[in-house]
C-alpha cells in the first residue's frame, strides 16, 4: 500500500505506509520503521503532539560532493544540531551524493523553516571547515541550494480527519 504522503520512488528509495508505521526503504534495501501511533506522542507542558516533517534539500548545482566520509560526519552533525536546537531527526539519508532526506519531529512551537535554516546553515559551515576541498567544487562559498522540499507526515490520513470532524456535529 503506497503512502498518501509520497507515492512512487525517491532517488534514495521508497516510502510506504502500513497501519501505524512509516516504512522507509533506502536504495540498499534497508528498511526503517518509524512508529507513528499513540506510543510516539510527545508530552509538553501545554500540549501533547506528534509533529513530523519529511525535509529534502540539495547541494548547490547538484554537485556530487557528499562522499562517504562527508556523509558519515554529516549524519552525526545533523543529530548534534537537532539535539542542540530542540528537535529530533529519526532518520537522515544522503541520496546520490547530492541531496539529503531527513525525517524530523519537533514541538509545534518550532517552525519548519527554522529547522531547515538550522540544519542547512550550521551543517554547511561545519562541513566547509572539516572538508575544505568541497568549497573548491562550488562557487560563492555556499554548499546548499537555497530551496527545500517540506512535507508534513502524520499518523492519520486526511480522509480520516475529515470524517472525524464531520462526526463531531452529530455527537452534540
Amino acid at each position: 500500500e503506497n503512502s498518501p504522503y509520497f507515492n512512487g520512488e525517491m532517488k534514495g528509495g521508497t516510502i510506504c505506509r502500513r497501519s501505524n508505521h512509516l516504512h522507509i526503504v533506502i536504495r540498499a534495501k534497508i528498511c526503517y520503521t518509524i512508529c507513528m501511533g499513540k506510543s510516539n506522542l510527545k508530552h509538553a507542558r501545554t500540549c501533547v503532539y506528534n509533529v513530523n516533517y519529511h525535509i529534502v534539500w540539495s547541494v548547490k548545482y547538484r554537485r556530487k560532493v557528499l562522499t562517504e566520509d562527508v556523509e558519515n560526519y554529516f549524519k552525526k552533525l545533523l543529530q548534534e544540531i537537532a539535539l542542540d536546537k530542540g528537535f529530533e531527526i529519526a532518520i537522515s539519508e544522503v541520496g546520490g551524493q547530492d541531496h539529503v532526506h531527513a525525517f524530523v519531529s519537533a514541538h509545534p512551537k518550532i517552525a519548519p523553516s527554522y529547522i531547515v535554516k538550522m540544519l542547512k546553515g550550521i551543517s554547511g559551515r561545519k562541513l566547509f571547515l572539516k572538508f575544505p576541498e568541497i568549497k573548491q567544487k562550488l562557487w560563492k562559498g555556499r554548499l546548499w541550494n537555497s530551496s527545500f522540499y517540506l512535507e508534513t507526515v502524520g499518523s492519520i490520513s486526511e480522509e480520516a480527519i475529515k470524517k472525524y470532524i464531520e462526526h463531531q456535529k452529530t455527537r452534540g
Side-chain angles (χ1 to χ4, degrees), residues 1-7 14-24 34 36-37 153-158 160:
E1 183 178 329
N2 283 336
S3 168
Y5 312 111
F6 189 89
N7 291 323
T14 59
I15 296 178
C16 62
R17 184 178 180 277
R18 293 189 182 99
S19 65
N20 284 335
H21 294 83
L22 179 67
H23 301 277
I24 301 177
I34 300 165
M36 306 267 299
V153 181
S155 60
I156 302 172
S157 71
E158 181 181 339

mmCIF file with all atom_site columns, all heavy atoms in Angstrom, residues 1-7 14-24 34 36-37 153-158 160:
data_model
loop_
_atom_site.group_PDB
_atom_site.id
_atom_site.type_symbol
_atom_site.label_atom_id
_atom_site.label_alt_id
_atom_site.label_comp_id
_atom_site.label_asym_id
_atom_site.label_entity_id
_atom_site.label_seq_id
_atom_site.pdbx_PDB_ins_code
_atom_site.Cartn_x
_atom_site.Cartn_y
_atom_site.Cartn_z
_atom_site.occupancy
_atom_site.B_iso_or_equiv
_atom_site.pdbx_formal_charge
_atom_site.auth_seq_id
_atom_site.auth_comp_id
_atom_site.auth_asym_id
_atom_site.auth_atom_id
_atom_site.pdbx_PDB_model_num
ATOM 1   N N   . GLU A 1 1   ? 0.855   -1.177 0.000  1.00 0.00 ? 1   GLU A N   1
ATOM 2   C CA  . GLU A 1 1   ? 0.000   0.000  0.000  1.00 0.00 ? 1   GLU A CA  1
ATOM 3   C C   . GLU A 1 1   ? 0.890   1.226  0.000  1.00 0.00 ? 1   GLU A C   1
ATOM 4   O O   . GLU A 1 1   ? 1.752   1.381  0.842  1.00 0.00 ? 1   GLU A O   1
ATOM 5   C CB  . GLU A 1 1   ? -0.870  -0.046 1.254  1.00 0.00 ? 1   GLU A CB  1
ATOM 6   C CG  . GLU A 1 1   ? -1.856  1.079  1.325  1.00 0.00 ? 1   GLU A CG  1
ATOM 7   C CD  . GLU A 1 1   ? -2.725  0.938  2.581  1.00 0.00 ? 1   GLU A CD  1
ATOM 8   O OE1 . GLU A 1 1   ? -2.988  -0.194 3.020  1.00 0.00 ? 1   GLU A OE1 1
ATOM 9   O OE2 . GLU A 1 1   ? -3.103  1.962  3.103  1.00 0.00 ? 1   GLU A OE2 1
ATOM 10  N N   . ASN A 1 2   ? 0.717   2.125  -0.950 1.00 0.00 ? 2   ASN A N   1
ATOM 11  C CA  . ASN A 1 2   ? 1.541   3.328  -1.036 1.00 0.00 ? 2   ASN A CA  1
ATOM 12  C C   . ASN A 1 2   ? 1.098   4.368  -0.022 1.00 0.00 ? 2   ASN A C   1
ATOM 13  O O   . ASN A 1 2   ? -0.051  4.427  0.372  1.00 0.00 ? 2   ASN A O   1
ATOM 14  C CB  . ASN A 1 2   ? 1.466   3.934  -2.431 1.00 0.00 ? 2   ASN A CB  1
ATOM 15  C CG  . ASN A 1 2   ? 2.300   3.165  -3.417 1.00 0.00 ? 2   ASN A CG  1
ATOM 16  O OD1 . ASN A 1 2   ? 3.243   2.490  -3.016 1.00 0.00 ? 2   ASN A OD1 1
ATOM 17  N ND2 . ASN A 1 2   ? 1.951   3.245  -4.670 1.00 0.00 ? 2   ASN A ND2 1
ATOM 18  N N   . SER A 1 3   ? 2.014   5.202  0.353  1.00 0.00 ? 3   SER A N   1
ATOM 19  C CA  . SER A 1 3   ? 1.750   6.259  1.313  1.00 0.00 ? 3   SER A CA  1
ATOM 20  C C   . SER A 1 3   ? 0.895   7.347  0.688  1.00 0.00 ? 3   SER A C   1
ATOM 21  O O   . SER A 1 3   ? 1.094   7.714  -0.467 1.00 0.00 ? 3   SER A O   1
ATOM 22  C CB  . SER A 1 3   ? 3.080   6.860  1.756  1.00 0.00 ? 3   SER A CB  1
ATOM 23  O OG  . SER A 1 3   ? 2.855   8.045  2.461  1.00 0.00 ? 3   SER A OG  1
ATOM 24  N N   . PRO A 1 4   ? -0.057  7.904  1.454  1.00 0.00 ? 4   PRO A N   1
ATOM 25  C CA  . PRO A 1 4   ? -0.781  9.063  0.930  1.00 0.00 ? 4   PRO A CA  1
ATOM 26  C C   . PRO A 1 4   ? 0.130   10.284 0.899  1.00 0.00 ? 4   PRO A C   1
ATOM 27  O O   . PRO A 1 4   ? -0.175  11.280 0.294  1.00 0.00 ? 4   PRO A O   1
ATOM 28  C CB  . PRO A 1 4   ? -1.910  9.262  1.941  1.00 0.00 ? 4   PRO A CB  1
ATOM 29  C CG  . PRO A 1 4   ? -1.458  8.609  3.181  1.00 0.00 ? 4   PRO A CG  1
ATOM 30  C CD  . PRO A 1 4   ? -0.544  7.490  2.753  1.00 0.00 ? 4   PRO A CD  1
ATOM 31  N N   . TYR A 1 5   ? 1.272   10.207 1.557  1.00 0.00 ? 5   TYR A N   1
ATOM 32  C CA  . TYR A 1 5   ? 2.190   11.329 1.633  1.00 0.00 ? 5   TYR A CA  1
ATOM 33  C C   . TYR A 1 5   ? 3.179   11.339 0.481  1.00 0.00 ? 5   TYR A C   1
ATOM 34  O O   . TYR A 1 5   ? 3.651   12.363 0.077  1.00 0.00 ? 5   TYR A O   1
ATOM 35  C CB  . TYR A 1 5   ? 2.969   11.300 2.949  1.00 0.00 ? 5   TYR A CB  1
ATOM 36  C CG  . TYR A 1 5   ? 2.068   11.097 4.127  1.00 0.00 ? 5   TYR A CG  1
ATOM 37  C CD1 . TYR A 1 5   ? 2.099   9.928  4.846  1.00 0.00 ? 5   TYR A CD1 1
ATOM 38  C CD2 . TYR A 1 5   ? 1.149   12.070 4.480  1.00 0.00 ? 5   TYR A CD2 1
ATOM 39  C CE1 . TYR A 1 5   ? 1.254   9.738  5.918  1.00 0.00 ? 5   TYR A CE1 1
ATOM 40  C CE2 . TYR A 1 5   ? 0.290   11.882 5.535  1.00 0.00 ? 5   TYR A CE2 1
ATOM 41  C CZ  . TYR A 1 5   ? 0.348   10.724 6.257  1.00 0.00 ? 5   TYR A CZ  1
ATOM 42  O OH  . TYR A 1 5   ? -0.487  10.521 7.297  1.00 0.00 ? 5   TYR A OH  1
ATOM 43  N N   . PHE A 1 6   ? 3.533   10.168 -0.001 1.00 0.00 ? 6   PHE A N   1
ATOM 44  C CA  . PHE A 1 6   ? 4.535   10.104 -1.059 1.00 0.00 ? 6   PHE A CA  1
ATOM 45  C C   . PHE A 1 6   ? 4.296   8.846  -1.869 1.00 0.00 ? 6   PHE A C   1
ATOM 46  O O   . PHE A 1 6   ? 4.326   7.757  -1.335 1.00 0.00 ? 6   PHE A O   1
ATOM 47  C CB  . PHE A 1 6   ? 5.942   10.072 -0.456 1.00 0.00 ? 6   PHE A CB  1
ATOM 48  C CG  . PHE A 1 6   ? 7.020   10.215 -1.489 1.00 0.00 ? 6   PHE A CG  1
ATOM 49  C CD1 . PHE A 1 6   ? 7.465   11.470 -1.846 1.00 0.00 ? 6   PHE A CD1 1
ATOM 50  C CD2 . PHE A 1 6   ? 7.564   9.111  -2.103 1.00 0.00 ? 6   PHE A CD2 1
ATOM 51  C CE1 . PHE A 1 6   ? 8.452   11.609 -2.789 1.00 0.00 ? 6   PHE A CE1 1
ATOM 52  C CE2 . PHE A 1 6   ? 8.555   9.249  -3.053 1.00 0.00 ? 6   PHE A CE2 1
ATOM 53  C CZ  . PHE A 1 6   ? 8.995   10.509 -3.394 1.00 0.00 ? 6   PHE A CZ  1
ATOM 54  N N   . ASN A 1 7   ? 4.007   8.986  -3.132 1.00 0.00 ? 7   ASN A N   1
ATOM 55  C CA  . ASN A 1 7   ? 3.811   7.827  -3.997 1.00 0.00 ? 7   ASN A CA  1
ATOM 56  C C   . ASN A 1 7   ? 5.010   7.680  -4.914 1.00 0.00 ? 7   ASN A C   1
ATOM 57  O O   . ASN A 1 7   ? 5.533   8.657  -5.402 1.00 0.00 ? 7   ASN A O   1
ATOM 58  C CB  . ASN A 1 7   ? 2.550   7.994  -4.852 1.00 0.00 ? 7   ASN A CB  1
ATOM 59  C CG  . ASN A 1 7   ? 1.312   7.918  -4.010 1.00 0.00 ? 7   ASN A CG  1
ATOM 60  O OD1 . ASN A 1 7   ? 1.264   7.140  -3.071 1.00 0.00 ? 7   ASN A OD1 1
ATOM 61  N ND2 . ASN A 1 7   ? 0.323   8.726  -4.321 1.00 0.00 ? 7   ASN A ND2 1
ATOM 62  N N   . THR A 1 14  ? 12.201  4.242  -1.447 1.00 0.00 ? 14  THR A N   1
ATOM 63  C CA  . THR A 1 14  ? 10.758  4.411  -1.495 1.00 0.00 ? 14  THR A CA  1
ATOM 64  C C   . THR A 1 14  ? 10.197  4.544  -0.092 1.00 0.00 ? 14  THR A C   1
ATOM 65  O O   . THR A 1 14  ? 10.833  4.149  0.874  1.00 0.00 ? 14  THR A O   1
ATOM 66  C CB  . THR A 1 14  ? 10.070  3.205  -2.183 1.00 0.00 ? 14  THR A CB  1
ATOM 67  O OG1 . THR A 1 14  ? 10.398  2.039  -1.435 1.00 0.00 ? 14  THR A OG1 1
ATOM 68  C CG2 . THR A 1 14  ? 10.517  3.040  -3.606 1.00 0.00 ? 14  THR A CG2 1
ATOM 69  N N   . ILE A 1 15  ? 9.009   5.104  -0.015 1.00 0.00 ? 15  ILE A N   1
ATOM 70  C CA  . ILE A 1 15  ? 8.321   5.208  1.265  1.00 0.00 ? 15  ILE A CA  1
ATOM 71  C C   . ILE A 1 15  ? 6.958   4.563  1.102  1.00 0.00 ? 15  ILE A C   1
ATOM 72  O O   . ILE A 1 15  ? 6.269   4.799  0.124  1.00 0.00 ? 15  ILE A O   1
ATOM 73  C CB  . ILE A 1 15  ? 8.113   6.677  1.689  1.00 0.00 ? 15  ILE A CB  1
ATOM 74  C CG1 . ILE A 1 15  ? 9.449   7.358  1.927  1.00 0.00 ? 15  ILE A CG1 1
ATOM 75  C CG2 . ILE A 1 15  ? 7.249   6.762  2.938  1.00 0.00 ? 15  ILE A CG2 1
ATOM 76  C CD1 . ILE A 1 15  ? 9.322   8.812  2.300  1.00 0.00 ? 15  ILE A CD1 1
ATOM 77  N N   . CYS A 1 16  ? 6.573   3.745  2.063  1.00 0.00 ? 16  CYS A N   1
ATOM 78  C CA  . CYS A 1 16  ? 5.222   3.206  2.058  1.00 0.00 ? 16  CYS A CA  1
ATOM 79  C C   . CYS A 1 16  ? 4.675   3.267  3.476  1.00 0.00 ? 16  CYS A C   1
ATOM 80  O O   . CYS A 1 16  ? 5.421   3.235  4.437  1.00 0.00 ? 16  CYS A O   1
ATOM 81  C CB  . CYS A 1 16  ? 5.190   1.775  1.521  1.00 0.00 ? 16  CYS A CB  1
ATOM 82  S SG  . CYS A 1 16  ? 6.133   0.617  2.500  1.00 0.00 ? 16  CYS A SG  1
ATOM 83  N N   . ARG A 1 17  ? 3.355   3.374  3.593  1.00 0.00 ? 17  ARG A N   1
ATOM 84  C CA  . ARG A 1 17  ? 2.739   3.490  4.903  1.00 0.00 ? 17  ARG A CA  1
ATOM 85  C C   . ARG A 1 17  ? 1.801   2.316  5.106  1.00 0.00 ? 17  ARG A C   1
ATOM 86  O O   . ARG A 1 17  ? 0.937   2.055  4.293  1.00 0.00 ? 17  ARG A O   1
ATOM 87  C CB  . ARG A 1 17  ? 1.964   4.797  5.005  1.00 0.00 ? 17  ARG A CB  1
ATOM 88  C CG  . ARG A 1 17  ? 1.371   5.024  6.369  1.00 0.00 ? 17  ARG A CG  1
ATOM 89  C CD  . ARG A 1 17  ? 0.653   6.370  6.390  1.00 0.00 ? 17  ARG A CD  1
ATOM 90  N NE  . ARG A 1 17  ? 0.079   6.587  7.684  1.00 0.00 ? 17  ARG A NE  1
ATOM 91  C CZ  . ARG A 1 17  ? -1.096  6.094  8.073  1.00 0.00 ? 17  ARG A CZ  1
ATOM 92  N NH1 . ARG A 1 17  ? -1.805  5.354  7.255  1.00 0.00 ? 17  ARG A NH1 1
ATOM 93  N NH2 . ARG A 1 17  ? -1.566  6.339  9.282  1.00 0.00 ? 17  ARG A NH2 1
ATOM 94  N N   . ARG A 1 18  ? 1.994   1.606  6.199  1.00 0.00 ? 18  ARG A N   1
ATOM 95  C CA  . ARG A 1 18  ? 1.117   0.495  6.553  1.00 0.00 ? 18  ARG A CA  1
ATOM 96  C C   . ARG A 1 18  ? 0.745   0.650  8.017  1.00 0.00 ? 18  ARG A C   1
ATOM 97  O O   . ARG A 1 18  ? 1.614   0.885  8.847  1.00 0.00 ? 18  ARG A O   1
ATOM 98  C CB  . ARG A 1 18  ? 1.815   -0.843 6.349  1.00 0.00 ? 18  ARG A CB  1
ATOM 99  C CG  . ARG A 1 18  ? 2.100   -1.121 4.896  1.00 0.00 ? 18  ARG A CG  1
ATOM 100 C CD  . ARG A 1 18  ? 2.603   -2.553 4.716  1.00 0.00 ? 18  ARG A CD  1
ATOM 101 N NE  . ARG A 1 18  ? 2.912   -2.774 3.332  1.00 0.00 ? 18  ARG A NE  1
ATOM 102 C CZ  . ARG A 1 18  ? 4.120   -2.721 2.809  1.00 0.00 ? 18  ARG A CZ  1
ATOM 103 N NH1 . ARG A 1 18  ? 5.148   -2.474 3.559  1.00 0.00 ? 18  ARG A NH1 1
ATOM 104 N NH2 . ARG A 1 18  ? 4.304   -2.935 1.532  1.00 0.00 ? 18  ARG A NH2 1
ATOM 105 N N   . SER A 1 19  ? -0.494  0.477  8.337  1.00 0.00 ? 19  SER A N   1
ATOM 106 C CA  . SER A 1 19  ? -1.030  0.613  9.693  1.00 0.00 ? 19  SER A CA  1
ATOM 107 C C   . SER A 1 19  ? -0.511  1.894  10.335 1.00 0.00 ? 19  SER A C   1
ATOM 108 O O   . SER A 1 19  ? -0.624  2.954  9.768  1.00 0.00 ? 19  SER A O   1
ATOM 109 C CB  . SER A 1 19  ? -0.712  -0.631 10.531 1.00 0.00 ? 19  SER A CB  1
ATOM 110 O OG  . SER A 1 19  ? 0.681   -0.760 10.729 1.00 0.00 ? 19  SER A OG  1
ATOM 111 N N   . ASN A 1 20  ? 0.068   1.805  11.515 1.00 0.00 ? 20  ASN A N   1
ATOM 112 C CA  . ASN A 1 20  ? 0.569   2.984  12.218 1.00 0.00 ? 20  ASN A CA  1
ATOM 113 C C   . ASN A 1 20  ? 2.079   3.104  12.133 1.00 0.00 ? 20  ASN A C   1
ATOM 114 O O   . ASN A 1 20  ? 2.708   3.655  13.020 1.00 0.00 ? 20  ASN A O   1
ATOM 115 C CB  . ASN A 1 20  ? 0.151   2.938  13.688 1.00 0.00 ? 20  ASN A CB  1
ATOM 116 C CG  . ASN A 1 20  ? -1.295  3.298  13.856 1.00 0.00 ? 20  ASN A CG  1
ATOM 117 O OD1 . ASN A 1 20  ? -1.849  3.997  13.024 1.00 0.00 ? 20  ASN A OD1 1
ATOM 118 N ND2 . ASN A 1 20  ? -1.914  2.827  14.909 1.00 0.00 ? 20  ASN A ND2 1
ATOM 119 N N   . HIS A 1 21  ? 2.691   2.579  11.094 1.00 0.00 ? 21  HIS A N   1
ATOM 120 C CA  . HIS A 1 21  ? 4.136   2.656  10.953 1.00 0.00 ? 21  HIS A CA  1
ATOM 121 C C   . HIS A 1 21  ? 4.489   3.225  9.596  1.00 0.00 ? 21  HIS A C   1
ATOM 122 O O   . HIS A 1 21  ? 3.820   2.978  8.604  1.00 0.00 ? 21  HIS A O   1
ATOM 123 C CB  . HIS A 1 21  ? 4.771   1.269  11.087 1.00 0.00 ? 21  HIS A CB  1
ATOM 124 C CG  . HIS A 1 21  ? 4.622   0.698  12.455 1.00 0.00 ? 21  HIS A CG  1
ATOM 125 N ND1 . HIS A 1 21  ? 3.475   0.054  12.850 1.00 0.00 ? 21  HIS A ND1 1
ATOM 126 C CD2 . HIS A 1 21  ? 5.459   0.701  13.510 1.00 0.00 ? 21  HIS A CD2 1
ATOM 127 C CE1 . HIS A 1 21  ? 3.624   -0.332 14.099 1.00 0.00 ? 21  HIS A CE1 1
ATOM 128 N NE2 . HIS A 1 21  ? 4.815   0.046  14.530 1.00 0.00 ? 21  HIS A NE2 1
ATOM 129 N N   . LEU A 1 22  ? 5.523   4.004  9.559  1.00 0.00 ? 22  LEU A N   1
ATOM 130 C CA  . LEU A 1 22  ? 6.046   4.517  8.309  1.00 0.00 ? 22  LEU A CA  1
ATOM 131 C C   . LEU A 1 22  ? 7.267   3.678  7.972  1.00 0.00 ? 22  LEU A C   1
ATOM 132 O O   . LEU A 1 22  ? 8.197   3.605  8.761  1.00 0.00 ? 22  LEU A O   1
ATOM 133 C CB  . LEU A 1 22  ? 6.432   5.991  8.472  1.00 0.00 ? 22  LEU A CB  1
ATOM 134 C CG  . LEU A 1 22  ? 7.014   6.683  7.254  1.00 0.00 ? 22  LEU A CG  1
ATOM 135 C CD1 . LEU A 1 22  ? 5.946   6.795  6.174  1.00 0.00 ? 22  LEU A CD1 1
ATOM 136 C CD2 . LEU A 1 22  ? 7.518   8.057  7.628  1.00 0.00 ? 22  LEU A CD2 1
ATOM 137 N N   . HIS A 1 23  ? 7.243   3.028  6.832  1.00 0.00 ? 23  HIS A N   1
ATOM 138 C CA  . HIS A 1 23  ? 8.365   2.183  6.420  1.00 0.00 ? 23  HIS A CA  1
ATOM 139 C C   . HIS A 1 23  ? 9.138   2.943  5.357  1.00 0.00 ? 23  HIS A C   1
ATOM 140 O O   . HIS A 1 23  ? 8.587   3.314  4.336  1.00 0.00 ? 23  HIS A O   1
ATOM 141 C CB  . HIS A 1 23  ? 7.865   0.862  5.826  1.00 0.00 ? 23  HIS A CB  1
ATOM 142 C CG  . HIS A 1 23  ? 7.022   0.074  6.773  1.00 0.00 ? 23  HIS A CG  1
ATOM 143 N ND1 . HIS A 1 23  ? 7.554   -0.738 7.733  1.00 0.00 ? 23  HIS A ND1 1
ATOM 144 C CD2 . HIS A 1 23  ? 5.679   0.007  6.920  1.00 0.00 ? 23  HIS A CD2 1
ATOM 145 C CE1 . HIS A 1 23  ? 6.585   -1.303 8.415  1.00 0.00 ? 23  HIS A CE1 1
ATOM 146 N NE2 . HIS A 1 23  ? 5.429   -0.851 7.950  1.00 0.00 ? 23  HIS A NE2 1
ATOM 147 N N   . ILE A 1 24  ? 10.403  3.170  5.615  1.00 0.00 ? 24  ILE A N   1
ATOM 148 C CA  . ILE A 1 24  ? 11.250  3.849  4.643  1.00 0.00 ? 24  ILE A CA  1
ATOM 149 C C   . ILE A 1 24  ? 12.274  2.842  4.149  1.00 0.00 ? 24  ILE A C   1
ATOM 150 O O   . ILE A 1 24  ? 13.042  2.307  4.925  1.00 0.00 ? 24  ILE A O   1
ATOM 151 C CB  . ILE A 1 24  ? 11.948  5.070  5.260  1.00 0.00 ? 24  ILE A CB  1
ATOM 152 C CG1 . ILE A 1 24  ? 10.897  6.047  5.789  1.00 0.00 ? 24  ILE A CG1 1
ATOM 153 C CG2 . ILE A 1 24  ? 12.844  5.742  4.238  1.00 0.00 ? 24  ILE A CG2 1
ATOM 154 C CD1 . ILE A 1 24  ? 11.471  7.243  6.478  1.00 0.00 ? 24  ILE A CD1 1
ATOM 155 N N   . ILE A 1 34  ? 9.320   3.657  11.402 1.00 0.00 ? 34  ILE A N   1
ATOM 156 C CA  . ILE A 1 34  ? 9.158   4.717  12.368 1.00 0.00 ? 34  ILE A CA  1
ATOM 157 C C   . ILE A 1 34  ? 7.729   4.654  12.877 1.00 0.00 ? 34  ILE A C   1
ATOM 158 O O   . ILE A 1 34  ? 6.779   4.785  12.116 1.00 0.00 ? 34  ILE A O   1
ATOM 159 C CB  . ILE A 1 34  ? 9.449   6.083  11.723 1.00 0.00 ? 34  ILE A CB  1
ATOM 160 C CG1 . ILE A 1 34  ? 10.880  6.090  11.198 1.00 0.00 ? 34  ILE A CG1 1
ATOM 161 C CG2 . ILE A 1 34  ? 9.202   7.209  12.707 1.00 0.00 ? 34  ILE A CG2 1
ATOM 162 C CD1 . ILE A 1 34  ? 11.184  7.189  10.260 1.00 0.00 ? 34  ILE A CD1 1
ATOM 163 N N   . MET A 1 36  ? 4.315   5.618  14.241 1.00 0.00 ? 36  MET A N   1
ATOM 164 C CA  . MET A 1 36  ? 3.528   6.832  14.157 1.00 0.00 ? 36  MET A CA  1
ATOM 165 C C   . MET A 1 36  ? 2.261   6.704  14.995 1.00 0.00 ? 36  MET A C   1
ATOM 166 O O   . MET A 1 36  ? 1.316   7.429  14.805 1.00 0.00 ? 36  MET A O   1
ATOM 167 C CB  . MET A 1 36  ? 3.144   7.089  12.700 1.00 0.00 ? 36  MET A CB  1
ATOM 168 C CG  . MET A 1 36  ? 4.299   7.110  11.742 1.00 0.00 ? 36  MET A CG  1
ATOM 169 S SD  . MET A 1 36  ? 4.956   8.714  11.456 1.00 0.00 ? 36  MET A SD  1
ATOM 170 C CE  . MET A 1 36  ? 3.541   9.522  10.774 1.00 0.00 ? 36  MET A CE  1
ATOM 171 N N   . GLY A 1 37  ? 2.201   5.748  15.897 1.00 0.00 ? 37  GLY A N   1
ATOM 172 C CA  . GLY A 1 37  ? 0.998   5.513  16.693 1.00 0.00 ? 37  GLY A CA  1
ATOM 173 C C   . GLY A 1 37  ? 1.003   6.309  17.979 1.00 0.00 ? 37  GLY A C   1
ATOM 174 O O   . GLY A 1 37  ? 1.797   7.218  18.178 1.00 0.00 ? 37  GLY A O   1
ATOM 175 N N   . VAL A 1 153 ? 4.054   14.918 7.837  1.00 0.00 ? 153 VAL A N   1
ATOM 176 C CA  . VAL A 1 153 ? 3.777   13.489 7.864  1.00 0.00 ? 153 VAL A CA  1
ATOM 177 C C   . VAL A 1 153 ? 3.031   13.194 9.151  1.00 0.00 ? 153 VAL A C   1
ATOM 178 O O   . VAL A 1 153 ? 3.505   13.511 10.237 1.00 0.00 ? 153 VAL A O   1
ATOM 179 C CB  . VAL A 1 153 ? 5.084   12.660 7.819  1.00 0.00 ? 153 VAL A CB  1
ATOM 180 C CG1 . VAL A 1 153 ? 4.778   11.179 7.827  1.00 0.00 ? 153 VAL A CG1 1
ATOM 181 C CG2 . VAL A 1 153 ? 5.905   13.030 6.603  1.00 0.00 ? 153 VAL A CG2 1
ATOM 182 N N   . GLY A 1 154 ? 1.857   12.591 9.025  1.00 0.00 ? 154 GLY A N   1
ATOM 183 C CA  . GLY A 1 154 ? 1.058   12.282 10.205 1.00 0.00 ? 154 GLY A CA  1
ATOM 184 C C   . GLY A 1 154 ? 0.632   10.838 10.230 1.00 0.00 ? 154 GLY A C   1
ATOM 185 O O   . GLY A 1 154 ? 0.814   10.085 9.276  1.00 0.00 ? 154 GLY A O   1
ATOM 186 N N   . SER A 1 155 ? 0.046   10.461 11.354 1.00 0.00 ? 155 SER A N   1
ATOM 187 C CA  . SER A 1 155 ? -0.363  9.072  11.516 1.00 0.00 ? 155 SER A CA  1
ATOM 188 C C   . SER A 1 155 ? -1.785  8.827  11.044 1.00 0.00 ? 155 SER A C   1
ATOM 189 O O   . SER A 1 155 ? -2.218  7.696  10.947 1.00 0.00 ? 155 SER A O   1
ATOM 190 C CB  . SER A 1 155 ? -0.229  8.654  12.984 1.00 0.00 ? 155 SER A CB  1
ATOM 191 O OG  . SER A 1 155 ? -1.052  9.474  13.777 1.00 0.00 ? 155 SER A OG  1
ATOM 192 N N   . ILE A 1 156 ? -2.513  9.901  10.761 1.00 0.00 ? 156 ILE A N   1
ATOM 193 C CA  . ILE A 1 156 ? -3.907  9.760  10.367 1.00 0.00 ? 156 ILE A CA  1
ATOM 194 C C   . ILE A 1 156 ? -4.071  10.398 8.996  1.00 0.00 ? 156 ILE A C   1
ATOM 195 O O   . ILE A 1 156 ? -3.588  11.495 8.744  1.00 0.00 ? 156 ILE A O   1
ATOM 196 C CB  . ILE A 1 156 ? -4.834  10.445 11.390 1.00 0.00 ? 156 ILE A CB  1
ATOM 197 C CG1 . ILE A 1 156 ? -4.613  9.850  12.768 1.00 0.00 ? 156 ILE A CG1 1
ATOM 198 C CG2 . ILE A 1 156 ? -6.283  10.327 10.975 1.00 0.00 ? 156 ILE A CG2 1
ATOM 199 C CD1 . ILE A 1 156 ? -5.328  10.583 13.870 1.00 0.00 ? 156 ILE A CD1 1
ATOM 200 N N   . SER A 1 157 ? -4.803  9.733  8.120  1.00 0.00 ? 157 SER A N   1
ATOM 201 C CA  . SER A 1 157 ? -4.982  10.256 6.774  1.00 0.00 ? 157 SER A CA  1
ATOM 202 C C   . SER A 1 157 ? -5.923  11.464 6.776  1.00 0.00 ? 157 SER A C   1
ATOM 203 O O   . SER A 1 157 ? -6.720  11.660 7.691  1.00 0.00 ? 157 SER A O   1
ATOM 204 C CB  . SER A 1 157 ? -5.548  9.175  5.859  1.00 0.00 ? 157 SER A CB  1
ATOM 205 O OG  . SER A 1 157 ? -6.896  8.913  6.203  1.00 0.00 ? 157 SER A OG  1
ATOM 206 N N   . GLU A 1 158 ? -5.830  12.253 5.732  1.00 0.00 ? 158 GLU A N   1
ATOM 207 C CA  . GLU A 1 158 ? -6.691  13.422 5.562  1.00 0.00 ? 158 GLU A CA  1
ATOM 208 C C   . GLU A 1 158 ? -8.159  13.013 5.579  1.00 0.00 ? 158 GLU A C   1
ATOM 209 O O   . GLU A 1 158 ? -8.997  13.664 6.206  1.00 0.00 ? 158 GLU A O   1
ATOM 210 C CB  . GLU A 1 158 ? -6.322  14.099 4.245  1.00 0.00 ? 158 GLU A CB  1
ATOM 211 C CG  . GLU A 1 158 ? -7.112  15.345 3.941  1.00 0.00 ? 158 GLU A CG  1
ATOM 212 C CD  . GLU A 1 158 ? -6.726  15.958 2.604  1.00 0.00 ? 158 GLU A CD  1
ATOM 213 O OE1 . GLU A 1 158 ? -5.622  15.681 2.106  1.00 0.00 ? 158 GLU A OE1 1
ATOM 214 O OE2 . GLU A 1 158 ? -7.550  16.704 2.070  1.00 0.00 ? 158 GLU A OE2 1
ATOM 215 N N   . ALA A 1 160 ? -9.543  10.419 7.096  1.00 0.00 ? 160 ALA A N   1
ATOM 216 C CA  . ALA A 1 160 ? -9.967  10.046 8.455  1.00 0.00 ? 160 ALA A CA  1
ATOM 217 C C   . ALA A 1 160 ? -10.228 11.288 9.303  1.00 0.00 ? 160 ALA A C   1
ATOM 218 O O   . ALA A 1 160 ? -11.185 11.322 10.089 1.00 0.00 ? 160 ALA A O   1
ATOM 219 C CB  . ALA A 1 160 ? -8.908  9.170  9.111  1.00 0.00 ? 160 ALA A CB  1
#
